[in-house]
């Protein structure tokens, strides 16, 4: 008699909670819930109950499950959940959604039919956003329930995507329901962490009470609870301790061995009911399989080595059983509640519970299990010779179980390389580490070296640099075992690249030295090209007066070798570096080098190198004329294909562009998101660049305390001696000093900057040496026409940001030479050029106005008035006061400022609205949040909330919405003149 309870028992509170959350989801208030408990506690059964409730509420249910036994398959649960949608072909309208469009190719990782071109695979953030947009688009007609089972066995990529969904699902018609076994694992860490920050709900399923066990047994026996024999109930309660799965298995065992029998008067105990739980579970399972006969026993034993899910075609190949017998035994297995059809795939079945598989494997002898594993691997390789998808790691697992470490290691290495190429970095590390350990004891040194060559960059990509550097002894071991010098040198080069990504130039140079020692002085270019280009990038980061010159020499040599030996990836990297280094000489030359890298990347189908080349070209244009068109285009392309590193590099530049353009509030959110992601991914150079830009933003507000906080964080990211350090000095510290009217300090900082760049030349050229520094030196008499001529025709001097200050320096020189008309024309040209940079424009007017008055030329009064007005409105009182003092010295009238109440409409003024409240009121027309108001006015969200509450009271509005409507009808705000 099959034993199975037909309803959920003892979970009334949990069912009510889930029902409420599902109803909220239908109203557009998404949520995430984790069902947590020990194995067999009923997590899957409760998840199925929730799915049934969702269907009754006309919600769409998407279900996926992690593999409980066997190799980890990256992103499998998500793919499994989505595939039925696309098999049905009813998502054409969803895919046409304009908000999803750019993310369609990213979804190709989950749905191969959507893949377009190539993608950088490291961005789980982008994949999470793509999935979120897909679920949002699906939710326009009905809400979605996404059920993810057995997350304790999920891969790191699946968990990363789910974390992104959890953090962003609020306000969307999507509910995520995951099941997790209560044990230490990454999924449990995720559940606890998201619950702590109130992004998810964690429901721990307790053991059933004795009354619940009675109800459950009664349901199974189809009798009321009070008709269950007391001694049987007592034994079931004591042995199962309230675990539902054990209750079913132990009850099945009692019925199967005849100790619990049914008579005309009902059920009664007959014989010894005692049993060891583990053996009862094992032999209860085996006893049911025994009833299937020897062939059925052999069939399901073979299936158990394949994992919880198994393919019928592979199982048939393993056992040689005919179609009729195969299906007959499977149907008997379904009737015995051992296996179930695996619904998404018609050729697949699955064991009903993970513990069933474990019980099956426990009854196999080591010799039998090894033999079955070998047969399974042979069958898989015969049916799928290329071992696509999850077949490769499964075959590797089976070879390992069969004791064939060498073949298993090679298969794990292949699976790891594929996972890395597909962006599943965490799974790649697991697979490649397994490969390296299996191959360590064998004689296939080449295979072990190949595994390490991919494991090292995978660890670096994941930000696990310490673990990557822990492998530094491996090349030495391989040398002693007889591996050839070129392969050992390649390993050292991989470690050097990891060091470069980590910003650890000293470690990287040490690995380069070891690589060159292996190759010797007469090595072929095919072996040295990669070493040269890696050392070239390290040279840029290594402090020293010759670093840029030495880096260019290495890049030239790498290009020559790469082109001679057909190494397109190396050639791309080297041409791009030459483009970066050429910016100091000639931006056109720099762009030409990057275009050469682009041509090579397109010719050889190197998508990521292509994106990087495009970003260099866009960066050159931004430096030249201040246009972000190229950068925005490359960012869109990088986001489309999932090249997340390029996205964040570009975001850093766009944020600095916003800061220099006086639009700090517009870029604040972008900078925070970019910095948080850079910190998570340990992208040191991106983090330093964003922190430099944030320090610049604070400095341009004359907020020294905030600037110093950002610079302190910059130092913690190894800012001292970094290529970004000159920018932190020139764009932040020098400007802050000038806005404090401390020109002496600014000159001192520029002097330190010159010394810094002499000691370690930088690849960044907006720090001031080619612009602001020249202007200040001319004003102070420390530079004349010779110094101007040395800068004016350089590539850095022609960059738009610098060019403004170079023109101001020229205007000052012309004025001193008595060429007043030329000086005025040059000053006007400078002002036109600086129009996108209001702070630089008006700071230049303040400095040039004083100089022009003393030399008797130009329009000093007009310039100082414009500067004074700008800095007054920008809340930089020190500079505004200096401008007023200079105007008074010139005998010019000075504008008088009232408290600003004259700008408040009479209606609001009569109601007692203050100047600050009116500033908040003006913003409310766009219905911003308190956080948005706080960011734009540089106040705290709590202060913004108080101002809004005060405005509601003073204007007699019913609520915030009414206040926003009033603001929209009275909006009269104006931008500061000249800004």
């Amino acid at each position: 008699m099959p034993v199975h309870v037909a309803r959920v028992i003892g979970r009334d509170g949990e069912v009510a909670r889930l029902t409420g959350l599902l109803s909220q989801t239908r109203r557009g208030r998404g949520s995430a819930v984790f069902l947590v408990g020990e194995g067999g506690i009923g997590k899957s059964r409760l998840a199925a109950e929730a799915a049934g409730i969702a269907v009754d509420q006309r919600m769409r249910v998407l279900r996926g499950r992690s593999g409980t036994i066997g190799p980890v398959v990256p992103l499998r649960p998500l793919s499994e959940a989505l595939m039925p949608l696309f098999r049905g072909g009813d998502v054409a309208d969803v895919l046409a959604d304009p908000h999803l469009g750019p993310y369609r190719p990213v979804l190709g990782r989950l749905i191969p039919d959507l893949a377009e071109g190539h993608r950088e695979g490291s961005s789980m953030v982008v994949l999470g956003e793509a999935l979120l947009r897909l679920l949002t688009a699906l939710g326009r007609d009905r809400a979605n329930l996404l059920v993810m089972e057995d997350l304790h066995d999920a891969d790191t990529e699946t968990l990363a995507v789910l974390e992104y969904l959890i953090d962003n699902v609020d306000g969307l018609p999507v509910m995520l329901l995951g099941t997790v076994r209560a044990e230490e694992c990454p999924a449990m860490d995720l559940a606890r962490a998201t619950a702590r920050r109130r992004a998810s709900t964690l429901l721990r399923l307790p053991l059933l009470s004795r009354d619940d066990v009675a109800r459950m047994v009664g349901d199974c026996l189809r009798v009321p609870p009070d008709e269950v024999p007391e001694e049987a109930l007592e034994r079931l309660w004591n042995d199962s301790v309230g675990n539902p799965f054990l209750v079913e298995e132990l009850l099945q065992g009692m019925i199967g061995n005849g100790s619990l029998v049914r008579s005309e008067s009902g059920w009664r105990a007959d014989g010894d009911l005692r049993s060891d739980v583990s053996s009862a579970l094992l032999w209860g399972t085996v006893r049911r399989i025994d009833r299937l006969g020897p062939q059925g026993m052999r069939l399901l034993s073979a299936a158990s080595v394949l994992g919880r899910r198994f393919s019928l075609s592979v199982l048939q190949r393993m056992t040689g059983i005919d179609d009729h017998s195969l299906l007959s035994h499977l149907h008997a297995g379904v009737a015995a509640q051992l296996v179930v059809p695996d619904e998404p795939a018609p050729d697949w079945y699955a064991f009903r519970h993970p513990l069933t598989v474990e019980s099956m494997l426990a009854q196999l002898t080591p010799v039998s299990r090894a033999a079955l594993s070998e047969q399974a691997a042979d069958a898989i390789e015969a049916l799928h010779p290329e071992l696509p998808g999850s077949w490769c790691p499964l075959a590797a697992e089976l070879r390992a179980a069969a004791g064939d470490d060498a073949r298993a290691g090679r298969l794990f290495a292949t699976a790891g390389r594929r996972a890395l190429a597909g962006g599943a970095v965490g799974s790649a590390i697991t697979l490649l580490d397994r490969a390296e350990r299996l191959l360590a004891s064998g004689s296939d040194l080449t295979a072990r070296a190949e595994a390490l060559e991919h494991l090292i960059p995978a660890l670096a990509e994941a930000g696990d640099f310490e673990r990557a550097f822990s492998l530094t002894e491996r090349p030495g071991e391989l040398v002693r075992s007889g591996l050839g010098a070129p392969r050992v040198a390649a390993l050292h080069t991989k470690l050097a690249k990891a060091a470069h990504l980590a910003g650890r130039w000293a470690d990287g140079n040490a690995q380069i030295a070891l690589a060159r020692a292996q190759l010797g002085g007469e090595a072929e270019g095919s072996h040295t090209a990669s070493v040269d280009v890696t050392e070239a990038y390290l040279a840029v980061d290594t402090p020293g007066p010759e670093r840029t010159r030495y880096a260019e020499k290495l890049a030239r040599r790498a290009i020559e070798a790469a082109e001679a030996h057909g190494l397109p990836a190396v050639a791309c990297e080297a041409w791009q570096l030459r483009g970066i280094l050429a910016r100091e000489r000639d931006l056109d030359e720099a762009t030409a080098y990057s275009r050469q890298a682009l041509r090579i990347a397109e010719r050889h189908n190197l998508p990521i190198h292509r994106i990087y080349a495009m970003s260099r070209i866009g960066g050159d244009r931004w430096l030249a004329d201040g246009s972000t068109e190229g950068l925005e285009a490359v960012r869109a392309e990088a986001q489309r294909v999932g090249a997340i590193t390029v996205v964040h590099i570009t975001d850093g530049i766009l944020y600095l562009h916003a800061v220099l353009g006086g639009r700090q509030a517009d870029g604040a959110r972008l900078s925070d998101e970019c910095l948080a992601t850079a910190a998570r991914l340990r992208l040191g150079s991106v983090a330093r660049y964003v922190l430099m830009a944030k320090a610049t933003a604070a400095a341009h507000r004359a907020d020294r305390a905030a600037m110093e906080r950002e610079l302190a964080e910059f130092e913690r990211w190894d800012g001292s001696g970094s290529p970004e350090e000159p920018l932190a000095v020139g764009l932040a510290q020098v400007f802050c000093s000038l806005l404090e009217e401390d020109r002496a300090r600014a000159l001192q900082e520029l002097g330190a900057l010159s010394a810094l760049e002499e000691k370690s030349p930088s690849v960044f050229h907006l720090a001031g040496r080619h612009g602001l520094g020249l202007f200040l030196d001319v004003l102070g008499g420390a530079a004349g026409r010779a110094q101007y001529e040395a800068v004016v025709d350089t590539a850095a001097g022609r960059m738009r940001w610098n060019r403004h200050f170079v023109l101001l320096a020229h205007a000052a020189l012309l004025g001193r030479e008595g060429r007043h008309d030329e000086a005025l024309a040059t000053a006007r040209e400078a002002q036109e050029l600086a129009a996108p940079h209001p702070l630089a424009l008006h700071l230049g007017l303040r400095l040039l106005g004083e100089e022009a008055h003393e030399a008797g030329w130009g329009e000093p009064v007009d310039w100082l008035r414009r500067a004074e007005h700008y800095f007054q409105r920008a809340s930089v009182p020190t500079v505004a006061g200096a401008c007023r003092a200079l105007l008074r010295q010139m005998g010019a009238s000075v504008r008088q400022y009232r408290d600003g109440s004259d700008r408040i409409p009479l209606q609001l003024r009569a109601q007692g609205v203050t100047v600050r409240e009116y500033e908040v009121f003006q913003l409310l027309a766009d219905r911003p949040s308190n956080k948005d108001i706080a960011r734009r006015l540089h106040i705290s969200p709590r202060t913004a909330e108080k101002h809004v509450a005060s405005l509601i009271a003073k204007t007699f509005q019913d609520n915030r919405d009414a206040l926003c409507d009033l603001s929209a009808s009275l909006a009269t705000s104006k931008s500061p003149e000249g800004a």
Side-chain angles (χ1 to χ4, degrees), residues 12 93 156 200 204 206 211 274 355 533 564 635 648 822 854:
D12 294 347
D93 291 343
T156 55
S200 72
R204 293 184 180 274
D211 289 344
R274 290 176 298 174
L355 296 178
V533 76
R635 186 189 188 280
H648 293 311
E822 293 176 69
E854 292 175 357

Side-chain angles (χ1 to χ4, degrees), residues 297-312:
M297 178 75 164
R298 188 166 60 252
L299 185 76
L300 292 189
S301 296
S304 69
V305 303
L306 292 169
R308 185 177 177 186
R309 297 174 75 245
F310 53 90
S311 161
L312 298 190

Side-chain angles (χ1 to χ4, degrees), residues 709-722:
R709 285 195 299 271
E710 302 295 353
L711 290 178
E713 186 65 20
F714 177 82
E715 285 298 310
R716 283 192 284 273
W717 279 90
D718 299 323
S720 181
S722 69

Side-chain angles (χ1 to χ4, degrees), residues 614-615 617-623 625-637 650 653-654 657:
M614 290 172 62
S615 73
I617 295 167
D620 290 344
R621 183 176 175 187
W622 175 68
L623 289 170
D625 60 21
S627 170
T628 60
E629 183 179 345
L631 289 173
E632 289 167 350
V634 77
R635 186 189 188 280
E637 177 68 6
T650 309
I653 300 172
L654 291 173
H657 177 76

Side-chain angles (χ1 to χ4, degrees), residues 384-427:
H384 307 282
E386 300 299 320
L387 295 178
S390 61
W391 292 117
C392 187
L394 178 57
E397 196 76 53
L398 292 166
R399 292 294 180 199
D404 192 344
D405 289 353
R407 291 180 72 178
R410 288 193 291 272
L411 288 172
F412 274 122
T414 298
R417 288 196 298 272
R418 291 176 180 175
L420 185 60
V425 180
S427 296

Side-chain angles (χ1 to χ4, degrees), residues 52 113 147 159 174 429 489 503 524 639 642 780 792 801 827 851 862 930 964:
D113 289 346
V147 181
L159 295 178
V174 179
I429 290 170
E524 293 183 8
Q639 192 168 38
V792 65
W801 174 262
E851 163 71 21
D862 177 63
N930 289 336
C964 291

Side-chain angles (χ1 to χ4, degrees), residues 122-378:
S122 60
S123 172
M124 292 303 109
V125 172
V126 173
L127 182 56
E129 177 65 20
L131 181 56
L132 191 70
R133 292 184 181 222
L134 174 63
L135 293 172
T136 302
L138 288 168
R140 292 207 167 92
D141 63 338
R142 52 185 169 138
N144 297 285
L145 172 64
L146 178 62
V147 181
M148 295 278 100
E149 293 199 55
D150 296 336
L151 288 176
H152 43 272
D153 290 306
D155 55 286
T156 55
E157 290 74 29
T158 293
L159 295 178
V161 171
L162 291 180
E163 181 173 21
Y164 188 88
L165 290 181
I166 291 167
D167 285 338
N168 293 278
V169 78
D170 185 28
L172 298 175
V174 179
M175 178 172 165
L176 168 66
L177 179 62
T179 68
V180 185
R181 190 176 295 173
E183 60 189 34
E184 290 304 315
C185 61
M188 196 66 226
D189 292 340
L190 173 64
R192 283 193 289 250
T194 53
R196 276 196 300 270
R197 60 180 185 254
R198 299 185 180 181
S200 72
T201 299
L202 197 154
L203 293 182
R204 293 184 180 274
L205 304 189
L207 295 165
L208 298 181
S209 67
R210 192 179 191 281
D211 289 344
D212 289 333
V213 171
R215 292 166 56 205
M216 180 178 175
V217 175
D219 268 25
C220 291
L221 299 179
R222 298 179 180 83
V223 297
D226 58 3
E227 293 185 17
V228 176
E230 180 63 25
E231 57 269 43
L233 176 59
E234 186 66 20
R235 176 55 56 190
L236 289 168
W237 163 243
N238 288 330
D239 288 353
S240 72
V241 295
N243 183 295
F245 179 73
L246 290 179
V247 171
E248 286 187 355
E249 291 298 310
L250 291 169
L251 181 60
Q252 184 77 59
M254 287 180 177
I255 296 171
N257 64 21
S259 58
L260 183 65
V261 296
R262 187 168 195 168
S263 64
E264 292 182 1
S265 59
W267 290 92
R268 61 181 175 82
D270 185 11
D272 187 6
L273 295 169
R274 290 176 298 174
S275 62
D276 174 70
V277 175
S278 59
S279 60
L281 180 59
L282 169 61
W283 293 113
T285 301
V286 172
R287 199 175 292 115
R288 273 180 277 161
I289 296 175
D290 275 341
R291 295 197 185 97
L292 305 181
Q295 193 174 47
M297 178 75 164
R298 188 166 60 252
L299 185 76
L300 292 189
S301 296
S304 69
V305 303
L306 292 169
R308 185 177 177 186
R309 297 174 75 245
F310 53 90
S311 161
L312 298 190
S313 56
V314 171
L315 186 60
Q316 188 172 32
R317 182 88 177 202
M318 283 177 66
T319 58
I321 193 170
D322 61 84
D323 292 345
H324 176 75
S325 298
L326 175 68
L327 293 176
S328 175
H329 287 302
L330 283 172
H331 291 159
V334 171
Q337 297 183 36
L338 293 165
V339 297
V340 292
D342 203 41
E343 293 176 3
D347 186 46
W348 289 76
Y349 273 67
F351 286 95
R352 192 171 69 88
H353 198 280
L355 296 178
T356 306
V357 194
E358 294 172 12
S359 298
M360 287 296 309
L361 293 174
Q363 58 88 30
L364 293 174
T365 66
V367 173
S368 297
R369 184 170 180 178
L372 284 172
S373 296
E374 184 176 14
Q375 292 171 22
D378 289 342

Side-chain angles (χ1 to χ4, degrees), residues 887-899:
L887 286 167
R888 290 190 183 100
Q889 290 174 20
M890 297 174 189
S893 61
V894 177
R895 181 179 309 193
Q896 297 298 313
Y897 289 90
R898 284 180 271 178
D899 62 4

